[in-house]
Amino acid sequence: MTPREGQNNIFLSLSIYQTKPLKKEGAMNFKISEFCHFVNGKNNLVALFNALTLGVVILDKETAKIFREAKGGIVSAEMIESFCSNGENDLLDQLVKNKLVFPLGQQVDLEDYTKIQAGLGYKRIGILYLLMTDVCNLSCGYCFVENLMPKNHTFSKMTPEVARFGIDLFAESLGKSDGIEEPQIIFYGGEPLVNFNVVREALEYITKSKADGRLPDNTSITINTNGTLINDGIATILKKVDNLNIAISLDGPKEIHDLCRPYHNGIGSYEDVMKGYQCLQNNGVDAGFCCTINRHNVEQLDQIARWFVDELGAKSLGFNILIESRKASKVRGDVKYYAELTAQKIIDSFRFFREKGIYEDRIMRKVNAFIDGHIYYHDCGGCGQQIVMSPNGMVGVCQGYLGTKKYFTNPDSKFDPLEHPFWEQWRHRSPLFMPQCKNCIALSTCGGGCPYSADLRNGSIWELDDIFCIHAKTTVEFLIKDLIEQTTSSK
Ligand code: SF4
Ligand code: SF4
């Protein structure tokens, strides 16, 4: 058979596990990978995408059809070669190289799956959350920390001793962990600045620990704050701290922000957040923003993204997808509609941020995994990579359980999170170990969302975080379509 005229096939090599060059012996049949997905793009092009190893080959619709319609997922070498019109590239070799097909009888899918699962076994801790208090001066309608506290919960503030214990435990765990490039310490709450005296002492202790060589010099510090308590005194102290990021929670312009982020007396916090931000700016302290996506702002998210950049001059931004219990969803309305809208609005905002060179963390994590062709095992440090220090000295895997203390433990002198069963279980909580995810197009780019949300909504961390799933799948499909568009427009 001779190659067809007018074929428009493009081969991309994003595959991470390379195969040996193919030796064709006589008539051969090939199996289409069980991880192969078909994504329709513009100009009658279709991407064949291996959701496990991230290989992509773009074919025209006609060529893609033979794979789509192959009986039993089996195609012959002769059939594939009949569609190859590119003298330099061999379609069959590219499909094999990108793990989209493999010689019948080989176990390539199984071998790759097992190899990638094995990459998940590493024990490492790279993040410390210091929950400075469970008290907050705001009363945000959607807060999963404050609103889900048991009725008899006693609120508390972290003492300097507990903060030092947490930092020492982190330094020790870090010392036993390989491959942590940039350790992070995150001050969180409640509102951490409610307990600023201890925040200050902890910052001094971190600086001292770096000087003593117990913590690496490049350990970054982040303070997640609602911004309302920042004043000149606080800003002056923060100005002196190395490698510090301030993330201020802001949901958009005043009329949107105040809907969900009021004080306990119902008055909106926007004016005070902006005063706090201004105060940091006046004192030369950089700050970024963290915007929680909820039903109150999702419709206008793309305008809000523009507002952050054009009005506030934001250089970086992080979107948080709201964690919502099933009970709350029943009151608030259709989850699917909300999740789909959220996914689309994040993509619309990404297009704008890309033009402006702004980094939005939520989508960039997936973009980077997709472009670099690396497996994105987890979307959150809670999956075995972090220690959460509660205000009263308990240690846990995830701050979401601050109220119930599920997955928290009282540490004794021998406590080692790297060997503890909670961390062992959470380390493996990845789509790569979840049978529900095996056929999903987002298998290696999604990271599994928020296990706490899965537990809250569906009863176990091993269930799906269904709101996040819609975002993850929509994003990878968008990235593949975008790749088709970018590749064809550059040709
Ligand atoms: S499981 Fe969810 S709430 Fe817990 S650390 Fe991860 S993203 Fe945060
Ligand atoms: S968690 Fe959801 S989106 Fe991610 S791989 Fe599993 S099913 Fe797909």
Side-chain angles (χ1 to χ4, degrees), residues 129 144 323 379-383 386 397-400 426 449-453:
Y129 269 84
F144 70 90
I323 296 173
D379 195 49
C380 96
C383 296
Q386 71 186 27
V397 288
C398 158
Q399 59 273 21
W426 278 65
C450 167
Y452 168 73
S453 172

Side-chain angles (χ1 to χ4, degrees), residues 23-275:
K23 277 191 205 148
K24 276 165 257 173
E25 288 153 3
M28 277 182 82
N29 283 331
F30 288 80
K31 177 99 182 79
I32 299 171
S33 164
E34 66 175 291
F35 299 106
C36 175
H37 293 256
F38 296 86
V39 179
N40 294 331
K42 281 193 173 166
N43 304 325
N44 276 333
L45 292 172
V46 178
L48 273 63
F49 172 64
N50 185 313
L52 178 68
T53 58
L54 308 179
V56 183
V57 167
I58 300 171
L59 304 175
D60 65 35
K61 212 168 155 191
E62 275 294 295
T63 316
K65 207 168 157 202
I66 63 160
F67 296 94
R68 267 203 163 124
E69 294 178 358
K71 278 207 182 108
I74 295 168
V75 281
S76 70
E78 194 192 19
M79 201 168 189
I80 297 172
E81 281 167 346
S82 73
F83 281 85
C84 187
S85 65
N86 187 330
E88 289 168 29
N89 289 311
D90 177 1
L91 173 59
L92 179 56
D93 278 347
Q94 290 298 327
L95 289 166
V96 171
K97 187 176 164 202
N98 285 287
K99 307 292 183 88
L100 292 157
V101 302
F102 51 84
L104 194 62
Q106 290 190 7
Q107 303 290 320
V108 175
D109 276 346
L110 184 65
E111 284 163 14
D112 283 345
Y113 196 53
T114 314
K115 219 186 293 181
I116 288 171
Q117 280 184 324
L120 210 53
Y122 296 111
K123 296 176 182 175
R124 55 173 79 122
I125 299 278
I127 303 169
L128 168 66
Y129 269 84
L130 290 172
L131 307 187
M132 301 312 295
T133 175
D134 44 16
V135 174
C136 187
N137 60 330
L138 298 189
S139 179
C140 302
Y142 51 61
C143 178
F144 70 90
V145 176
E146 301 292 316
N147 296 342
L148 296 175
M149 288 290 183
K151 287 208 170 58
N152 58 355
H153 181 76
T154 312
F155 289 89
S156 58
K157 290 183 185 174
M158 185 176 280
T159 61
E161 293 73 31
V162 169
R164 283 198 293 273
F165 174 84
I167 295 163
D168 287 343
L169 178 65
F170 179 56
E172 210 176 297
S173 307
L174 204 51
K176 294 185 219 159
S177 305
D178 285 333
I180 302 292
E181 284 171 13
E182 192 191 312
Q184 296 175 61
I185 298 179
I186 300 171
F187 288 84
Y188 202 79
E191 168 51 42
L193 299 188
V194 163
N195 194 10
F196 185 69
N197 284 340
V198 181
V199 170
R200 194 192 58 227
E201 286 194 44
L203 289 170
E204 286 165 5
Y205 192 67
I206 292 167
T207 306
K208 187 168 170 296
S209 302
K210 286 186 184 181
D212 294 347
R214 282 180 297 127
L215 276 177
D217 274 344
N218 70 340
T219 304
S220 72
I221 301 166
T222 300
I223 300 180
N224 275 81
T225 173
N226 62 36
T228 57
L229 298 173
I230 296 168
N231 55 32
D232 280 330
I234 289 179
T236 313
I237 290 166
L238 297 182
K239 169 85 180 142
K240 295 181 194 141
V241 180
D242 283 340
N243 209 351
L244 175 74
N245 312 297
I246 313 277
I248 297 180
S249 301
L250 184 65
D251 288 358
K254 180 174 167 52
E255 62 282 6
I256 292 172
H257 177 89
D258 281 350
L259 281 176
C260 267
R261 300 189 64 87
Y263 286 100
H264 293 285
N265 62 7
I267 294 176
S269 60
Y270 179 84
E271 304 290 352
D272 290 337
V273 177
M274 294 317 292
K275 272 187 212 155

